[in-house]
Amino acid sequence: MTVSNNISEARNPGLGSYAWVSSYALEITDDACQITIDVEVHRDADVSEAEERRVKRQTANEFARYWDSRFNLVDDTGNRRPIRVALNYVNTSGHLSVALHAGDDRDDLSNWYVLSDNTTRAHELGHQLGMKDEYIDATVPNRANAAAPGIQTDHSIMGNYYTEGQRGADVRARHGDQLAGDISAATGMNFTAELRDSYIVRRGDTLSWIAERIYGDASKWQDIYALNTDQIQDPNLIYPGQELQLPPHP
Amino acid sequence: MIRYTMPSSVLALWLGALLACTPPTQEATHARPQTSELSVVMTDTDFVSATYAVGNAAFRGRTTIELLASGAARVTQARDDSTQTFTKQLPASECKAVVDQLIALQPCTLRSQRANGNPDEDEVTFRFTQSAGSCELRFWVNERWDQTSLKQLVDLFRALERSVVAAE
């Protein structure tokens, strides 16, 4: 089935809105809740095929780093399923259509730049999952200043990670709640979400970076290491695909 | 997305004034220019300017670029609580090149085609001012990929920004 929601954030009078359609394919089995976003990428004439391939690969990896298997979907009988997420690049009929431009500039949901940073694309794809921005925007009443209700300052991937510290940016429990709410509405069932107590290693991860993102403290890598000595011989060597057990979340 | 208070013929007058691209040598008279011929080198010293602004100072930063009739250009980069300002007196040839391109683009004729923006999409605003009036324009920045003239206008100001910042 497809989960689809029209999302709008009103700006000040006369300035329009930020508006988009959050949509993705959803499949719930006994073992997992699989979310797949079909993405069309249309490169400009001055973007090479190799650049497009690299952006696609890096974006898929970064999207998985922040969003894949980070939450459990919990049904009303207490059964838990990991929320898996993936990108599926397609030529037509995608849930999301993106224009890929040359150079380095500021990404938005539908415009990516070859040299922009991958964390920002993970942020943009968070919008496709139904998340709203959490940083200050003076033109948006709900986010007009630091005290506005839509502002979060906990190193959220949807927040101002440029200022708070990009390496510490991560998903937060409320993002799982948003997913569970949207899935509940789409399926007519009652789901909640929780942060998972494990993490799947992605290309580029280190124990200290994982610790910095999840606990806000890079030195906690030792706690992660201590829980996983059965599969980590050298803490400087972890491998994509390894599923690490995590100490309790703060 | 647009507030338009100046007919294009007035903008042409102002752009004509910019052609001088030299610092003012006397007090402004605030007299309305008497000609719309762009080939005439204006001596009028009324305050005129072209301003471009884009971005969010509280997120990824906001850049404002101003070009004054005197040929002075100023770039202001604001991010969080920090603001940097760069200024440069454009050489006459560089100033004339910018003005010529503005004239060719006729920016006050451009229109936004979208009421709503994508999440994280910056808004870009322009203001072209002379004593007789001004026009203000607002666009979503990625509309430039659908409007060649808008892209050229944005590229023009960005090139000006690079020139000004590099000069300091």
Side-chain angles (χ1 to χ4, degrees), chain A residues 17 105 108 127 135-136 163, chain B residues 56 58 60 80 117 120 142 158:
Chain A
S17 300
D105 212 321
D108 66 31
H127 292 304
Y135 58 80
I136 294 173
T163 298
Chain B
N56 175 356
R60 294 181 287 198
D80 297 325
D120 300 304
N142 284 314
R158 287 185 169 185

Side-chain angles (χ1 to χ4, degrees), chain A residues 23-99:
Chain A
S23 66
Y24 46 84
L26 174 71
E27 183 181 15
I28 300 176
T29 66
D30 289 342
D31 300 325
C33 167
Q34 178 67 52
I35 288 173
T36 305
I37 303 174
D38 291 342
V39 182
E40 298 172 39
V41 176
H42 303 281
R43 62 186 157 93
D44 288 352
D46 55 351
V47 175
S48 71
E49 192 173 343
E51 288 174 318
E52 178 184 338
R53 279 199 305 272
R54 178 176 58 75
V55 168
K56 285 179 170 177
R57 184 179 66 249
Q58 292 177 341
T59 302
N61 186 64
E62 208 70 0
F63 181 53
R65 187 193 315 284
Y66 286 98
W67 296 101
D68 181 36
S69 295
R70 304 303 309 282
F71 305 103
N72 282 326
L73 189 69
V74 185
D75 65 26
D76 51 13
T77 66
N79 286 332
R80 288 168 165 75
R81 302 169 176 86
I83 299 178
R84 306 298 311 264
V85 304
L87 298 184
N88 178 42
Y89 293 109
V90 297
N91 293 324
T92 58
S93 304
H95 299 107
L96 173 66
S97 180
V98 174

Side-chain angles (χ1 to χ4, degrees), chain B residues 2-148:
Chain B
I2 184 168
R3 184 162 69 86
Y4 182 69
T5 59
M6 180 173 70
S8 56
S9 59
V10 176
L11 175 64
L13 284 174
W14 170 77
L15 292 174
L18 269 184
L19 282 173
C21 289
T22 53
T25 55
Q26 61 184 33
E27 288 298 310
T29 63
H30 300 283
R32 186 186 182 95
Q34 299 298 306
T35 177
S36 62
E37 294 298 321
L38 296 179
S39 60
V40 174
V41 177
M42 306 294 290
T43 57
D44 181 90
T45 54
D46 280 1
F47 175 82
V48 291
S49 66
T51 304
Y52 158 101
V54 66
N56 175 356
F59 186 45
R60 294 181 287 198
R62 179 171 179 80
T63 298
T64 304
I65 305 168
E66 298 166 275
L67 176 64
L68 306 181
S70 63
R74 179 169 58 192
V75 172
T76 304
Q77 296 172 337
R79 184 160 171 180
D80 297 325
D81 297 326
S82 169
T83 300
Q84 281 188 296
T85 301
F86 305 87
T87 59
K88 177 184 179 183
Q89 178 64 44
L90 298 187
S93 59
E94 185 178 348
C95 180
K96 184 177 186 311
V98 172
V99 171
D100 286 350
Q101 290 176 74
L102 280 174
I103 291 169
L105 291 169
Q106 288 295 307
C108 288
T109 65
L110 302 178
R111 297 291 181 272
S112 171
Q113 302 298 315
R114 275 198 276 136
N116 298 323
N118 298 313
D120 300 304
E121 185 171 17
D122 286 324
E123 186 179 64
V124 57
T125 61
F126 301 93
R127 181 180 178 86
F128 301 96
T129 303
Q130 62 103 39
S131 59
S134 66
C135 75
E136 285 187 6
L137 306 109
R138 291 178 181 273
F139 299 89
W140 296 104
V141 71
N142 284 314
E143 288 189 87
R144 71 190 191 274
W145 301 108
D146 302 316
Q147 291 194 49
T148 302

